Amino acid sequence: MKRAGIKILDLPVLILSVAALAASILLVRRGGGDERLLVVRTPEGEFVYPLSKNAVYKIEGAIGISEIEVADGTARFLDSPCPGKTCVMSGALSDTGAWAACLPNQVFIRIEGSRQDGNQLDAIAQ
């Protein structure tokens, strides 16, 4: 019988594989570099959509369906079942880090990825 033990090269290959997996996960979570993403958080989970593709997404929330429009690199609430429609009135989001929420429907949207002007700022204080 052959003994199935760890060989000399097994450990470096395992370490490199784990490092590659971790780097891949970080790139996906950060938007893959230059690509900007719309991140939608709902009671059912978190969903990611590219801002480069114009579309209208119907998102199931706590009290109904919110419609989110992606157009020309921006995202906005098009419609929502909430009574005040404050989320719809918040307008289009275009800057990285910008967010809007429909609190009654528990739908939260934010922009992630590189800024449109290419700068990599974390925040702007006034």
Side-chain angles (χ1 to χ4, degrees), residues 3-117:
R3 192 172 151 203
I6 295 178
K7 296 186 171 86
I8 292 175
L9 292 178
D10 288 346
L11 188 58
V13 169
L14 180 64
I15 290 171
L16 287 174
S17 298
V18 169
L21 178 64
S24 298
I25 290 171
L26 285 175
L27 282 174
V28 168
R29 295 285 292 167
R30 288 188 175 180
D34 291 339
E35 185 177 9
R36 295 180 42 221
L37 303 171
L38 169 66
V39 179
V40 180
R41 184 177 300 150
T42 72
E44 295 181 9
E46 190 170 276
F47 306 93
V48 180
Y49 304 100
L51 281 177
S52 58
K53 179 183 174 191
N54 293 349
V56 174
Y57 301 102
K58 295 182 186 254
I59 306 297
E60 183 72 36
I63 61 172
I65 294 177
S66 291
E67 290 184 18
I68 299 169
E69 177 185 43
V70 173
D72 302 322
T74 67
R76 69 183 184 108
F77 279 95
L78 195 58
D79 191 29
S80 201
C82 58
K85 306 282 187 201
T86 305
C87 54
V88 175
M89 292 185 284
S90 66
L93 308 176
S94 60
D95 293 331
T96 299
W99 61 272
C102 180
L103 296 179
N105 204 24
Q106 299 177 15
V107 175
F108 177 84
I109 64 174
R110 73 179 181 277
I111 307 294
E112 287 191 358
S114 298
R115 291 170 41 104
Q116 284 181 321
D117 60 10

